[in-house]
Amino acid sequence: MIEIRDLEKLYIMGEETVAALAGVTLTVERGELAAVIGPSGSGKSSLMNILGGLDRPSNGSYHFDGEDVGDMADDALADFRSRRIGFVFQSFQLLPRLTALQNVELPMVYAGIEPRERRERAVAMLQKVGLGERMTHRPTQLSGGQQQRVAIARALANAPDLLLADEPTGALDTNTSKEVLALFHELNAEGLTVVIVTHDLEVAAEARRRISFRDGKVVEDDHGGSRRGKS
């Protein structure tokens, strides 16, 4: 599904050029559950931003189901993000004045989906993540784990092909983290491709594939399988 070749992301800092990504080549197959791991500054977040269409590479190529994402015009790239990618962030990024239901509806508003359909889909997504009884609650009325579930429901609203999760358990306690990771496993078992960006080795161990970054390069690509898969 994803094919990147010789990918570079360069930043000019004064007279110095810094390579956040330094010639990365890898593929991700449809239906994979992969973790991208590495310390701060290793390049993993730069990779996620490019995979999600939030940033463009300086050099190299990125193809998604055969489409050249790197060459897309701005409008086409925005449409790609809306249709193909779901995002989950550490800080949840929910709008505090909106209910859980309204937060999940929001990306469908931008996608031009009719009110009745988006309401039905939002209800279905919240039920899917176990929040059918919390739909009218605002974020301040929800626990951290519940807020992250709302964020996951929102990420699923437009039926994406790829779910990108950036440190999705970073603001959660251990038990809640396990619940969120279990939900990712359930979604992946249903066929959704999931890529988790994390520095947490215990989170990474839950993935079936672990791609380790350092200094903007892939230093290890382990298809050894997750603990869950081995149990």
Side-chain angles (χ1 to χ4, degrees):
M1 184 171 73
I2 293 170
E3 182 178 9
I4 61 176
R5 299 290 176 194
D6 302 319
L7 204 68
E8 293 183 333
K9 182 60 185 180
L10 307 176
Y11 294 97
I12 308 299
M13 304 179 67
E15 297 181 355
E16 184 180 5
T17 300
V18 177
L21 294 174
V24 173
T25 295
L26 62 83
T27 60
V28 176
E29 300 296 334
R30 186 174 295 277
E32 280 201 88
L33 173 56
V36 177
I37 60 176
S40 178
S42 62
K44 62 186 188 298
S45 293
S46 295
L47 177 70
M48 190 204 77
N49 288 337
I50 290 173
L51 291 181
L54 297 171
D55 200 1
R56 296 179 183 272
S58 303
N59 297 297
S61 64
Y62 167 29
H63 288 81
F64 191 102
D65 277 347
E67 289 187 272
D68 189 342
V69 179
D71 267 355
M72 287 181 179
D74 289 345
D75 287 349
L77 190 61
D79 182 63
F80 166 78
R81 285 195 303 269
S82 176
R83 290 185 301 106
R84 311 297 297 273
I85 311 294
F87 295 95
V88 178
F89 300 99
Q90 176 178 341
S91 58
F92 318 137
Q93 297 193 2
L94 302 176
L95 296 183
R97 295 185 179 181
L98 300 184
T99 65
L101 188 65
Q102 290 167 333
N103 268 286
V104 176
E105 282 187 279
L106 199 57
M108 293 183 281
V109 174
Y110 296 139
I113 296 172
E114 293 297 322
R116 181 174 179 178
E117 181 181 352
R118 68 177 183 244
R119 177 60 57 96
E120 290 175 350
R121 284 167 60 172
V123 168
M125 290 301 100
L126 285 168
Q127 290 173 337
K128 186 179 187 69
V129 300
L131 290 177
E133 297 180 356
R134 297 286 188 272
M135 290 187 285
T136 60
H137 288 57
R138 289 180 169 79
T140 54
Q141 298 171 306
L142 300 170
S143 68
Q146 289 170 337
Q147 289 184 64
Q148 191 62 293
R149 285 175 178 269
V150 173
I152 293 169
R154 180 185 58 191
L156 299 174
N158 284 330
D161 298 292
L162 171 66
L163 184 67
L164 287 175
D166 186 11
E167 301 288 2
T169 63
L172 305 176
D173 61 53
T174 301
N175 287 335
T176 307
S177 296
K178 290 179 179 178
E179 292 174 0
V180 169
L181 291 171
L183 180 55
F184 286 148
H185 276 280
E186 291 173 16
L187 295 169
N188 178 249
E190 294 172 1
L192 182 64
T193 306
V194 180
V195 175
I196 302 171
V197 176
T198 184
H199 69 275
D200 189 327
L201 295 180
E202 290 188 7
V203 172
E206 288 288 321
R208 296 187 181 91
R209 177 184 180 189
R210 290 169 290 280
I211 305 166
S212 300
F213 271 71
R214 186 173 294 275
D215 298 327
K217 299 178 181 179
V218 175
V219 294
E220 186 177 2
D221 193 347
D222 175 15
H223 292 76
S226 68
R227 291 175 183 170
R228 182 181 300 268
K230 292 177 181 178
S231 61

